[in-house]
Each structure stands twice: as C-alpha cells, then as structure tokens.
Amino acid sequence: MPVFLVWYIAVNGPLAELGWTVREPTENDGMMLWLVIAVPIVAAFVLLWWLANAFARRWNTAAARVYWPVCAAVTLVPTSALMIFL
C-alpha cells in the first residue's frame, strides 16, 4: 500500500507537471489531500517495518550490510509483481 500511494502521488503530481505521465482526469482535489492521507500511512508502515526487522535482526546471522538491503528489496517484491503482472 505505501509503495502504491507514493507511486500515485508521483504520477499525478510532479511527473505529470514534467509531462512524463498523464494525470488522472478525476483527480481534481489537489495534492494536499493525498499528502494528508499518504504521509501518516507511509510513516506508520516504515515505523512498523523497521521495528519488526530490528526485532527479527537479533536472531539473524547475516551481516547488517546484507540484511537491511535484502529486507528492503523483499518488501518491494509484492507491489512490483502486482504492477508488472496486472
């Protein structure tokens, strides 16, 4: 969900202003509404993700320089798969 929200804001905001994407025709409420919705959701997700992985890191034997990038990549896999295959 957080990756989708960031993507949606980027597509309908800055990327549309640059002419790289086409803005959603029904998106006429402005970006402030999306920021009010997305910022708490993304912040809560990042906090919960970090806490869960910091807790799980205690029992993992991988080096920190390997563990954290792999966790971040694995977190992006479901959203990436849905965006590619749907």
Side-chain angles (χ1 to χ4, degrees):
M1 187 68 176
V3 176
F4 173 76
L5 285 173
V6 171
W7 171 79
Y8 189 84
I9 290 170
V11 166
N12 286 302
L15 296 179
E17 292 295 324
L18 291 171
W20 294 357
T21 61
V22 177
R23 185 170 296 196
E24 174 82 31
T26 60
E27 182 58 55
N28 58 3
D29 294 331
M31 293 279 60
M32 184 55 109
L33 176 63
W34 278 105
L35 292 177
V36 167
I37 293 169
V39 168
I41 291 173
V42 171
F45 175 80
V46 169
L47 180 65
L48 289 173
W49 179 87
W50 181 78
L51 289 172
N53 280 298
F55 182 72
R57 173 76 178 103
R58 295 179 189 166
W59 291 281
N60 194 304
T61 59
R65 69 176 193 270
V66 173
Y67 179 80
W68 290 107
V70 168
C71 286
V74 169
T75 302
L76 298 175
V77 167
T79 304
S80 301
L82 285 174
M83 291 177 122
I84 290 170
F85 295 116
L86 290 180

